Coordinates of all heavy atoms in Angstrom, one line a residue:
M225 N 161.6 178.2 133.3 CA 162.8 177.9 134.1 C 163.4 179.3 134.5 O 163.5 180.2 133.7 CB 163.8 177.2 133.3 CG 165.1 177.0 133.9 SD 166.2 176.1 132.9 CE 167.7 176.1 133.8
H226 N 163.7 179.4 135.8 CA 164.3 180.6 136.3 C 165.8 180.3 136.4 O 166.2 179.3 136.9 CB 163.8 180.9 137.7 CG 162.4 181.5 137.7 ND1 162.2 182.8 137.5 CD2 161.2 180.9 137.7 CE1 160.9 183.0 137.5 NE2 160.3 181.9 137.7
F227 N 166.6 181.3 136.0 CA 168.0 181.2 136.1 C 168.5 181.9 137.4 O 167.9 182.8 137.8 CB 168.7 181.9 134.9 CG 168.6 181.2 133.6 CD1 167.4 181.2 132.9 CD2 169.7 180.6 133.1 CE1 167.4 180.5 131.7 CE2 169.7 179.9 131.9 CZ 168.5 179.9 131.2
T228 N 169.5 181.3 138.0 CA 170.1 181.9 139.2 C 170.9 183.1 138.7 O 171.7 183.0 137.7 CB 171.0 180.9 140.0 OG1 170.2 179.8 140.3 CG2 171.6 181.5 141.2
V229 N 170.9 184.2 139.4 CA 171.7 185.4 139.0 C 172.8 185.5 140.0 O 172.6 185.6 141.2 CB 170.8 186.7 139.0 CG1 171.6 187.9 138.6 CG2 169.7 186.5 138.0
I230 N 174.0 185.6 139.5 CA 175.2 185.9 140.3 C 175.9 187.2 139.8 O 175.6 187.6 138.7 CB 176.2 184.7 140.3 CG1 176.7 184.5 138.9 CG2 175.6 183.5 140.9 CD1 177.9 183.5 138.8
Y231 N 176.7 187.8 140.6 CA 177.3 189.1 140.3 C 178.8 188.9 140.4 O 179.4 188.4 141.4 CB 176.9 190.1 141.3 CG 175.4 190.3 141.4 CD1 174.6 189.5 142.2 CD2 174.7 191.2 140.6 CE1 173.2 189.6 142.2 CE2 173.3 191.4 140.6 CZ 172.6 190.5 141.4 OH 171.2 190.7 141.5
S232 N 179.5 189.5 139.4 CA 180.9 189.5 139.4 C 181.4 190.6 140.3 O 180.6 191.5 140.7 CB 181.5 189.8 138.0 OG 181.2 191.1 137.6
E233 N 182.6 190.6 140.7 CA 183.2 191.6 141.6 C 183.1 193.0 140.9 O 182.7 194.0 141.5 CB 184.7 191.3 141.9 CG 185.3 192.2 142.8 CD 184.8 192.0 144.3 OE1 184.4 190.9 144.6 OE2 184.8 193.0 145.0
E234 N 183.3 193.0 139.6 CA 183.2 194.2 138.8 C 181.8 194.7 138.7 O 181.6 196.0 138.8 CB 183.8 194.0 137.4 CG 183.9 195.3 136.6 CD 184.5 195.2 135.2 OE1 185.0 194.0 134.9 OE2 184.7 196.2 134.6
A235 N 180.8 193.9 138.7 CA 179.4 194.3 138.7 C 179.1 195.0 140.0 O 178.4 196.0 139.9 CB 178.5 193.1 138.4
I236 N 179.5 194.5 141.1 CA 179.3 195.1 142.4 C 179.9 196.4 142.5 O 179.3 197.4 142.9 CB 179.7 194.1 143.5 CG1 178.9 192.9 143.5 CG2 179.7 194.8 144.9 CD1 179.5 191.7 144.4
E237 N 181.2 196.5 142.0 CA 181.9 197.8 142.1 C 181.3 198.9 141.2 O 181.1 200.0 141.6 CB 183.4 197.6 141.7 CG 184.1 196.8 142.7 CD 185.5 196.4 142.2 OE1 186.0 196.9 141.2 OE2 186.2 195.6 142.9
T238 N 180.9 198.5 139.9 CA 180.4 199.4 139.0 C 178.9 199.9 139.4 O 178.6 201.0 139.2 CB 180.4 198.9 137.5 OG1 179.8 197.7 137.5 CG2 181.9 198.8 137.0
F239 N 178.2 198.9 140.0 CA 176.8 199.3 140.4 C 176.9 200.3 141.5 O 176.2 201.3 141.6 CB 176.1 198.0 140.9 CG 174.7 198.3 141.4 CD1 173.7 198.5 140.6 CD2 174.4 198.2 142.8 CE1 172.4 198.7 141.0 CE2 173.2 198.4 143.3 CZ 172.1 198.7 142.4
D240 N 177.8 200.1 142.5 CA 178.0 201.0 143.6 C 178.5 202.4 143.1 O 178.0 203.4 143.5 CB 179.0 200.5 144.6 CG 178.4 199.3 145.4 OD1 177.2 199.1 145.4 OD2 179.2 198.6 146.0
S241 N 179.4 202.4 142.2 CA 180.0 203.6 141.6 C 178.9 204.4 140.9 O 178.8 205.6 141.1 CB 181.1 203.3 140.7 OG 181.6 204.4 140.1
I242 N 178.1 203.8 140.1 CA 177.1 204.5 139.4 C 176.0 205.0 140.3 O 175.5 206.1 140.2 CB 176.5 203.7 138.2 CG1 177.5 203.5 137.1 CG2 175.2 204.3 137.7 CD1 177.2 202.5 136.0
G243 N 175.7 204.2 141.3 CA 174.8 204.6 142.4 C 175.3 205.8 143.1 O 174.5 206.8 143.4
Q244 N 176.5 205.9 143.4 CA 177.1 207.1 144.1 C 177.0 208.3 143.2 O 176.7 209.4 143.7 CB 178.5 206.8 144.5 CG 178.7 205.8 145.6 CD 180.1 205.4 145.9 OE1 181.1 205.9 145.2 NE2 180.3 204.5 146.8
Q245 N 177.3 208.2 141.9 CA 177.2 209.3 141.0 C 175.7 209.8 141.0 O 175.5 211.0 141.0 CB 177.6 208.9 139.6 CG 179.1 208.6 139.5 CD 179.4 208.1 138.1 OE1 178.7 208.3 137.2 NE2 180.5 207.3 138.1
I246 N 174.8 208.9 140.9 CA 173.4 209.3 140.8 C 173.0 210.0 142.1 O 172.3 211.1 142.0 CB 172.5 208.0 140.6 CG1 172.7 207.5 139.2 CG2 171.0 208.3 140.9 CD1 172.0 206.2 138.9
Q247 N 173.3 209.5 143.2 CA 173.0 210.1 144.5 C 173.6 211.5 144.6 O 172.9 212.5 145.0 CB 173.4 209.2 145.6 CG 173.0 209.8 147.0 CD 173.3 208.9 148.1 OE1 174.3 208.1 148.1 NE2 172.5 208.9 149.2
A248 N 174.9 211.7 144.2 CA 175.5 213.0 144.3 C 174.9 214.0 143.3 O 174.8 215.2 143.7 CB 177.0 212.8 143.9
R249 N 174.5 213.6 142.1 CA 173.9 214.5 141.2 C 172.4 214.8 141.4 O 172.0 215.9 141.2 CB 174.1 213.9 139.7 CG 175.5 214.0 139.3 CD 175.5 213.7 137.8 NE 176.9 213.9 137.3 CZ 177.3 213.4 136.2 NH1 176.6 212.8 135.4 NH2 178.6 213.6 135.9
W250 N 171.6 213.7 141.7 CA 170.2 213.9 141.7 C 169.5 213.5 143.0 O 168.3 213.7 143.2 CB 169.6 213.1 140.6 CG 170.0 213.5 139.2 CD1 169.8 214.8 138.7 CD2 170.8 212.8 138.3 NE1 170.4 214.8 137.4 CE2 171.0 213.6 137.2 CE3 171.3 211.5 138.3 CZ2 171.7 213.3 136.1 CZ3 172.1 211.1 137.2 CH2 172.2 212.0 136.1
G251 N 170.3 213.0 144.0 CA 169.7 212.8 145.3 C 169.3 211.3 145.5 O 169.3 210.5 144.7
E252 N 168.8 211.1 146.8 CA 168.4 209.8 147.2 C 167.2 209.2 146.5 O 167.2 208.0 146.2 CB 168.1 209.8 148.7 CG 167.9 208.5 149.4 CD 169.1 207.6 149.5 OE1 170.2 208.2 149.5 OE2 168.9 206.4 149.5
K253 N 166.3 210.0 146.1 CA 165.1 209.5 145.4 C 165.4 208.9 144.1 O 164.9 207.8 143.8 CB 164.1 210.7 145.2 CG 162.8 210.3 144.6 CD 161.9 211.5 144.4 CE 160.6 211.0 143.7 NZ 159.7 212.2 143.5
E254 N 166.3 209.5 143.3 CA 166.7 209.0 142.1 C 167.6 207.7 142.2 O 167.5 206.8 141.4 CB 167.5 210.0 141.2 CG 166.6 211.1 140.7 CD 165.5 210.5 139.8 OE1 165.8 209.7 138.9 OE2 164.4 211.0 139.9
L255 N 168.4 207.7 143.3 CA 169.1 206.4 143.6 C 168.2 205.3 143.9 O 168.4 204.2 143.3 CB 170.1 206.7 144.8 CG 170.8 205.4 145.3 CD1 171.7 204.9 144.2 CD2 171.6 205.8 146.5
V256 N 167.2 205.5 144.7 CA 166.2 204.4 144.9 C 165.5 204.0 143.7 O 165.3 202.8 143.4 CB 165.2 204.9 146.0 CG1 164.0 204.0 146.1 CG2 165.8 205.1 147.4
E257 N 165.2 204.9 142.8 CA 164.5 204.6 141.5 C 165.5 203.8 140.6 O 165.1 202.8 140.0 CB 164.1 205.9 140.8 CG 163.2 205.6 139.6 CD 161.9 204.9 140.0 OE1 161.3 205.1 141.0 OE2 161.5 204.1 139.1
F258 N 166.7 204.2 140.6 CA 167.7 203.4 139.8 C 167.8 202.0 140.3 O 167.8 201.0 139.5 CB 169.1 204.1 139.9 CG 170.3 203.3 139.4 CD1 170.4 203.0 138.1 CD2 171.2 202.8 140.3 CE1 171.5 202.2 137.7 CE2 172.3 202.0 139.9 CZ 172.4 201.7 138.6
R259 N 167.9 201.8 141.6 CA 168.0 200.4 142.2 C 166.7 199.6 141.9 O 166.9 198.4 141.5 CB 168.2 200.5 143.7 CG 169.6 201.0 144.1 CD 169.7 201.1 145.6 NE 171.1 201.5 145.9 CZ 171.5 201.9 147.1 NH1 170.6 202.0 148.1 NH2 172.7 202.2 147.3
K260 N 165.6 200.2 142.0 CA 164.3 199.5 141.6 C 164.3 199.0 140.2 O 164.0 197.9 139.9 CB 163.1 200.4 141.8 CG 162.6 200.6 143.2 CD 161.4 201.4 143.2 CE 161.0 201.8 144.6 NZ 159.8 202.7 144.6
R261 N 164.7 199.9 139.3 CA 164.8 199.6 137.9 C 165.8 198.4 137.6 O 165.5 197.5 136.9 CB 165.2 200.8 137.0 CG 164.0 201.7 136.7 CD 164.4 202.7 135.7 NE 164.5 204.0 136.5 CZ 165.0 205.1 136.2 NH1 165.6 205.2 135.0 NH2 165.0 206.1 137.0
T262 N 166.9 198.5 138.3 CA 167.9 197.5 138.1 C 167.4 196.1 138.6 O 167.5 195.1 137.9 CB 169.2 197.8 138.9 OG1 169.7 199.1 138.4 CG2 170.3 196.8 138.7
Y263 N 166.8 196.1 139.8 CA 166.3 194.8 140.3 C 165.2 194.3 139.4 O 165.0 193.1 139.3 CB 165.8 195.0 141.7 CG 166.9 195.4 142.7 CD1 166.7 196.3 143.7 CD2 168.3 195.0 142.5 CE1 167.7 196.8 144.6 CE2 169.3 195.4 143.4 CZ 169.0 196.3 144.4 OH 170.0 196.7 145.2
K264 N 164.4 195.2 138.8 CA 163.3 194.7 137.9 C 163.9 194.1 136.7 O 163.4 193.0 136.2 CB 162.4 195.9 137.6 CG 161.2 195.5 136.7 CD 160.3 194.6 137.4 CE 159.0 194.4 136.6 NZ 158.2 193.3 137.2
V265 N 164.9 194.7 136.1 CA 165.6 194.1 134.9 C 166.2 192.8 135.3 O 166.1 191.8 134.5 CB 166.6 195.1 134.4 CG1 167.5 194.4 133.3 CG2 165.9 196.3 133.8
I266 N 166.8 192.7 136.4 CA 167.4 191.4 136.8 C 166.3 190.3 137.0 O 166.5 189.2 136.6 CB 168.3 191.6 138.1 CG1 169.5 192.4 137.8 CG2 168.6 190.2 138.7 CD1 170.3 192.9 139.0
E267 N 165.2 190.7 137.5 CA 164.1 189.7 137.6 C 163.6 189.3 136.3 O 163.4 188.1 136.0 CB 162.9 190.4 138.4 CG 161.7 189.5 138.6 CD 160.6 190.3 139.3 OE1 160.9 191.2 140.0 OE2 159.5 189.9 139.1
I268 N 163.6 190.2 135.3 CA 163.1 189.9 134.0 C 164.1 188.9 133.3 O 163.7 187.9 132.7 CB 162.9 191.1 133.1 CG1 161.7 191.9 133.6 CG2 162.8 190.8 131.6 CD1 161.6 193.3 133.1
I269 N 165.4 189.2 133.4 CA 166.4 188.4 132.7 C 166.5 187.0 133.4 O 166.9 186.0 132.7 CB 167.8 189.0 132.6 CG1 168.4 189.3 133.9 CG2 167.7 190.3 131.7 CD1 169.9 189.7 133.8
S270 N 166.2 186.9 134.7 CA 166.2 185.6 135.3 C 165.1 184.7 134.7 O 165.3 183.4 134.7 CB 166.0 185.7 136.8 OG 164.7 186.0 137.2
K271 N 164.1 185.2 134.2 CA 163.0 184.5 133.5 C 163.2 184.4 132.0 O 162.8 183.4 131.4 CB 161.6 185.1 133.8 CG 161.3 185.1 135.3 CD 160.0 185.9 135.6 CE 159.8 186.0 137.0 NZ 158.7 186.9 137.3
F272 N 163.6 185.5 131.4 CA 163.7 185.6 130.0 C 165.1 186.1 129.6 O 165.3 187.3 129.2 CB 162.7 186.5 129.4 CG 161.3 186.2 129.8 CD1 160.6 186.9 130.8 CD2 160.6 185.1 129.3 CE1 159.4 186.6 131.2 CE2 159.3 184.8 129.7 CZ 158.7 185.5 130.7
P273 N 166.2 185.3 129.7 CA 167.5 185.8 129.5 C 167.8 186.3 128.1 O 168.8 187.1 128.0 CB 168.4 184.6 129.9 CG 167.5 183.4 129.8 CD 166.1 183.9 130.0
L274 N 167.1 185.9 127.1 CA 167.4 186.3 125.7 C 166.7 187.6 125.3 O 166.8 188.0 124.2 CB 167.1 185.2 124.8 CG 167.8 183.9 125.0 CD1 167.3 182.8 124.0 CD2 169.3 184.1 124.9
I275 N 166.0 188.2 126.2 CA 165.1 189.4 125.9 C 165.9 190.6 125.5 O 165.4 191.4 124.7 CB 164.2 189.7 127.1 CG1 163.1 190.6 126.6 CG2 164.9 190.3 128.2 CD1 161.9 190.7 127.6
F276 N 167.1 190.8 125.9 CA 167.9 192.0 125.6 C 168.9 191.7 124.5 O 169.2 190.6 124.1 CB 168.6 192.5 126.8 CG 167.7 193.1 127.9 CD1 167.3 192.4 129.0 CD2 167.1 194.4 127.7 CE1 166.5 192.9 129.9 CE2 166.2 194.9 128.6 CZ 165.9 194.2 129.7
Q277 N 169.4 192.8 123.9 CA 170.3 192.8 122.8 C 171.6 192.0 123.0 O 172.3 192.2 124.0 CB 170.6 194.2 122.4 CG 171.6 194.4 121.3 CD 171.9 195.9 121.1 OE1 171.5 196.8 121.8 NE2 172.8 196.2 120.1
A278 N 171.9 191.2 122.0 CA 173.2 190.4 122.1 C 174.3 191.4 121.7 O 174.1 192.3 121.0 CB 173.2 189.3 121.1
V279 N 175.5 191.2 122.3 CA 176.6 192.0 122.1 C 177.5 191.3 121.1 O 177.9 190.2 121.3 CB 177.4 192.2 123.4 CG1 178.7 193.0 123.2 CG2 176.5 192.9 124.4
N280 N 177.8 192.0 120.0 CA 178.7 191.5 118.9 C 178.3 190.1 118.5 O 179.1 189.2 118.3 CB 180.2 191.5 119.4 CG 180.7 192.9 119.5 OD1 180.2 193.8 119.0 ND2 181.8 193.0 120.3
N281 N 177.0 189.9 118.2 CA 176.5 188.7 117.7 C 176.8 187.5 118.6 O 176.8 186.4 118.2 CB 177.0 188.4 116.3 CG 176.5 189.5 115.3 OD1 175.4 190.0 115.4 ND2 177.4 189.8 114.4
S282 N 177.0 187.7 119.9 CA 177.2 186.6 120.9 C 175.8 186.3 121.5 O 175.2 187.2 122.0 CB 178.2 187.1 121.9 OG 178.2 186.1 123.0
E283 N 175.5 185.1 121.5 CA 174.2 184.7 122.2 C 174.4 184.6 123.7 O 173.5 184.7 124.4 CB 173.8 183.3 121.7 CG 173.2 183.3 120.3 CD 172.0 184.2 120.2 OE1 171.1 184.1 121.0 OE2 171.9 185.0 119.2
K284 N 175.7 184.6 124.1 CA 175.9 184.4 125.6 C 176.0 185.8 126.3 O 175.6 185.9 127.5 CB 177.2 183.7 125.8 CG 177.2 182.3 125.2 CD 176.5 181.3 126.2 CE 176.6 179.9 125.6 NZ 175.7 179.0 126.2
V285 N 176.5 186.8 125.7 CA 176.7 188.1 126.4 C 175.7 189.1 125.8 O 175.5 189.2 124.6 CB 178.1 188.7 126.2 CG1 178.3 190.0 126.8 CG2 179.2 187.7 126.7
R286 N 175.0 189.8 126.7 CA 173.9 190.7 126.4 C 174.0 192.0 127.1 O 174.6 192.0 128.2 CB 172.5 190.0 126.6 CG 172.5 188.7 125.7 CD 171.1 188.3 125.6 NE 171.0 187.3 124.5 CZ 170.5 187.4 123.3 NH1 169.8 188.6 123.1 NH2 170.5 186.5 122.4
K287 N 173.3 193.0 126.6 CA 173.3 194.3 127.1 C 171.9 194.7 127.5 O 171.0 194.8 126.6 CB 173.9 195.3 126.1 CG 173.8 196.8 126.6 CD 174.3 197.7 125.5 CE 174.3 199.1 125.9 NZ 174.7 200.0 124.8
A288 N 171.6 194.9 128.8 CA 170.3 195.3 129.2 C 170.3 196.8 129.5 O 171.1 197.3 130.2 CB 170.0 194.5 130.5
F289 N 169.3 197.5 129.0 CA 169.1 198.9 129.2 C 168.4 199.1 130.5 O 167.4 198.6 130.8 CB 168.3 199.4 128.1 CG 168.0 200.9 128.1 CD1 168.9 201.8 127.7 CD2 166.8 201.3 128.6 CE1 168.7 203.1 127.8 CE2 166.5 202.7 128.7 CZ 167.5 203.6 128.2
I290 N 169.1 199.8 131.4 CA 168.5 200.1 132.8 C 167.9 201.5 132.8 O 166.8 201.7 133.2 CB 169.6 200.1 133.9 CG1 170.4 198.8 133.9 CG2 169.1 200.5 135.2 CD1 169.6 197.6 134.4
H291 N 168.6 202.5 132.2 CA 168.2 203.9 132.2 C 169.0 204.5 131.0 O 170.0 203.9 130.5 CB 168.7 204.5 133.5 CG 168.4 205.9 133.7 ND1 169.2 206.9 133.3 CD2 167.3 206.5 134.2 CE1 168.7 208.1 133.6 NE2 167.5 207.9 134.1
K292 N 168.5 205.7 130.6 CA 169.2 206.3 129.4 C 170.7 206.5 129.7 O 171.5 206.5 128.8 CB 168.6 207.6 129.1 CG 168.7 208.7 130.1 CD 168.0 209.9 129.6 CE 168.2 211.0 130.6 NZ 167.6 212.3 130.2
N293 N 171.1 206.5 131.0 CA 172.5 206.8 131.3 C 173.2 205.5 131.8 O 174.4 205.6 132.1 CB 172.6 207.8 132.4 CG 172.2 209.2 132.0 OD1 172.3 209.5 130.8 ND2 171.7 210.0 132.9
C294 N 172.5 204.4 131.8 CA 173.2 203.2 132.4 C 172.7 201.9 131.7 O 171.5 201.7 131.5 CB 172.9 203.1 133.9 SG 173.7 201.7 134.7
S295 N 173.6 201.0 131.4 CA 173.3 199.7 130.9 C 174.0 198.6 131.8 O 175.0 198.9 132.5 CB 173.7 199.5 129.5 OG 173.0 200.4 128.6
M296 N 173.5 197.4 131.7 CA 174.1 196.3 132.4 C 174.4 195.2 131.4 O 173.6 194.8 130.6 CB 173.1 195.7 133.4 CG 173.5 194.5 134.2 SD 172.2 193.9 135.3 CE 171.1 193.1 134.2
F297 N 175.6 194.7 131.5 CA 176.1 193.6 130.7 C 176.1 192.3 131.5 O 176.5 192.3 132.6 CB 177.5 193.8 130.2 CG 177.5 194.9 129.1 CD1 177.5 196.3 129.5 CD2 177.6 194.6 127.8 CE1 177.5 197.3 128.6 CE2 177.6 195.6 126.8 CZ 177.6 197.0 127.2
Y298 N 175.6 191.2 130.9 CA 175.5 189.9 131.6 C 175.8 188.8 130.6 O 175.6 188.9 129.4 CB 174.1 189.8 132.2 CG 172.9 189.7 131.3 CD1 172.4 188.5 130.9 CD2 172.3 190.9 130.8 CE1 171.3 188.4 130.0 CE2 171.2 190.8 130.0 CZ 170.7 189.6 129.6 OH 169.6 189.5 128.7
A299 N 176.2 187.7 131.2 CA 176.5 186.5 130.4 C 175.5 185.4 130.8 O 175.2 185.2 132.0 CB 177.9 186.0 130.7
I300 N 175.0 184.6 129.8 CA 174.1 183.5 130.1 C 174.8 182.2 130.1 O 175.5 181.8 129.2 CB 173.0 183.5 129.0 CG1 172.3 184.9 128.9 CG2 172.0 182.4 129.2 CD1 171.5 185.0 127.6
G301 N 174.7 181.5 131.2 CA 175.2 180.1 131.3 C 174.1 179.1 131.2 O 173.0 179.4 130.8
N302 N 174.4 177.9 131.5 CA 173.4 176.8 131.4 C 172.3 176.9 132.4 O 171.1 176.7 132.1 CB 174.1 175.4 131.5 CG 175.0 175.1 130.3 OD1 174.7 175.6 129.2 ND2 176.0 174.3 130.5
T303 N 172.7 177.3 133.6 CA 171.7 177.4 134.7 C 171.7 178.7 135.4 O 170.9 178.9 136.3 CB 171.9 176.3 135.7 OG1 173.2 176.4 136.3 CG2 171.7 174.9 135.1
Q304 N 172.7 179.6 135.1 CA 172.8 180.8 135.8 C 173.1 182.0 134.8 O 173.6 181.8 133.7 CB 173.8 180.8 136.9 CG 175.2 180.6 136.4 CD 176.2 180.4 137.6 OE1 175.8 180.0 138.7 NE2 177.5 180.5 137.3
I305 N 172.9 183.2 135.3 CA 173.2 184.4 134.6 C 174.2 185.1 135.5 O 174.0 185.3 136.7 CB 172.0 185.3 134.4 CG1 171.1 184.5 133.4 CG2 172.4 186.6 133.9 CD1 169.7 185.2 133.3
E306 N 175.3 185.6 134.9 CA 176.3 186.3 135.6 C 176.2 187.8 135.2 O 176.4 188.1 134.0 CB 177.7 185.8 135.4 CG 178.7 186.6 136.2 CD 180.2 186.1 136.1 OE1 180.5 185.3 135.1 OE2 181.0 186.6 136.9
V307 N 176.0 188.7 136.1 CA 176.0 190.1 135.8 C 177.5 190.5 135.8 O 178.2 190.3 136.7 CB 175.2 190.9 136.9 CG1 175.4 192.4 136.5 CG2 173.8 190.5 136.9
L308 N 177.9 190.9 134.6 CA 179.4 191.2 134.4 C 179.8 192.6 134.9 O 180.8 192.7 135.6 CB 179.7 191.1 132.9 CG 179.4 189.7 132.3 CD1 179.6 189.8 130.8 CD2 180.3 188.6 132.9
F309 N 179.0 193.6 134.5 CA 179.3 195.0 134.9 C 178.2 195.9 134.5 O 177.4 195.6 133.7 CB 180.7 195.5 134.4 CG 180.8 195.5 132.9 CD1 180.4 196.6 132.2 CD2 181.2 194.4 132.2 CE1 180.5 196.6 130.8 CE2 181.3 194.4 130.8 CZ 181.0 195.5 130.1
F310 N 178.2 197.1 135.1 CA 177.3 198.2 134.7 C 178.1 199.2 134.0 O 179.3 199.4 134.3 CB 176.6 198.8 136.0 CG 175.7 197.8 136.6 CD1 176.1 196.8 137.5 CD2 174.3 197.9 136.4 CE1 175.2 196.0 138.1 CE2 173.4 197.0 137.0 CZ 173.9 196.1 137.8
W311 N 177.5 199.9 133.0 CA 178.2 200.8 132.2 C 177.4 202.1 132.1 O 176.2 202.2 131.9 CB 178.3 200.3 130.8 CG 179.1 201.1 129.8 CD1 178.6 202.0 128.9 CD2 180.5 201.2 129.8 NE1 179.7 202.6 128.3 CE2 180.8 202.2 128.8 CE3 181.5 200.7 130.6 CZ2 182.1 202.5 128.5 CZ3 182.8 201.0 130.3 CH2 183.1 201.9 129.3
D312 N 178.1 203.2 132.4 CA 177.6 204.6 132.2 C 177.6 204.9 130.8 O 178.6 205.0 130.1 CB 178.5 205.5 133.0 CG 177.9 207.0 133.0 OD1 177.2 207.3 132.1 OD2 178.3 207.7 134.0
N313 N 176.4 205.0 130.2 CA 176.3 205.2 128.7 C 176.8 206.5 128.2 O 177.0 206.7 127.0 CB 174.8 205.0 128.3 CG 174.3 203.7 128.5 OD1 175.0 202.7 128.4 ND2 173.0 203.5 128.8
R314 N 177.1 207.4 129.1 CA 177.7 208.7 128.7 C 179.2 208.6 128.5 O 179.8 209.6 127.9 CB 177.4 209.8 129.8 CG 175.9 210.0 130.0 CD 175.6 210.8 131.2 NE 176.0 210.1 132.3 CZ 176.2 210.6 133.5 NH1 175.9 211.9 133.7 NH2 176.6 209.9 134.5
Q315 N 179.8 207.5 128.8 CA 181.2 207.3 128.6 C 181.4 207.0 127.1 O 180.4 206.7 126.4 CB 181.7 206.2 129.4 CG 181.7 206.4 130.9 CD 182.2 205.2 131.7 OE1 182.8 204.3 131.1 NE2 181.9 205.2 133.0
D316 N 182.6 206.9 126.7 CA 182.9 206.5 125.3 C 182.4 205.1 125.1 O 182.4 204.3 126.0 CB 184.5 206.5 125.1 CG 185.0 207.9 125.0 OD1 184.3 208.8 124.7 OD2 186.2 208.0 125.4
P317 N 181.9 204.8 123.9 CA 181.4 203.4 123.7 C 182.5 202.4 123.9 O 183.6 202.6 123.7 CB 181.0 203.4 122.2 CG 181.1 204.8 121.8 CD 181.9 205.6 122.8
I318 N 182.0 201.2 124.3 CA 182.9 200.1 124.5 C 182.6 199.0 123.4 O 181.6 198.9 122.9 CB 182.8 199.4 125.9 CG1 181.4 198.9 126.1 CG2 183.2 200.4 126.9 CD1 181.3 198.1 127.4
F319 N 183.6 198.3 123.1 CA 183.5 197.2 122.1 C 184.0 195.9 122.8 O 185.1 195.8 123.2 CB 184.3 197.5 120.9 CG 183.9 198.8 120.2 CD1 184.6 200.0 120.5 CD2 182.8 198.8 119.4 CE1 184.2 201.1 119.9 CE2 182.4 200.0 118.8 CZ 183.1 201.2 119.1
L320 N 183.1 195.0 123.0 CA 183.4 193.7 123.6 C 183.9 192.7 122.6 O 183.5 192.7 121.5 CB 182.2 193.1 124.4 CG 181.8 194.0 125.5 CD1 180.5 193.4 126.2 CD2 182.8 194.1 126.6

């Protein structure tokens, strides 16, 4: 079963923000690579939503590793997955 993937407003904003940071620091090539990795991870979770680490023992919210500097948080519903936000791993840790 494939899950439909939807994006929260915050996910769109944080994805764009991290993309801008990558482009400013490392250039267009790294930005393209970041986007490819992100889309590949989204494709994987649409097929296997439980593959990534649960957050605070929650089966519904999970953290997907995109790159050593970026992770993506998502919530699993009955028929869809909502990408909640992207996180720059170099920031202070968050606790959900």
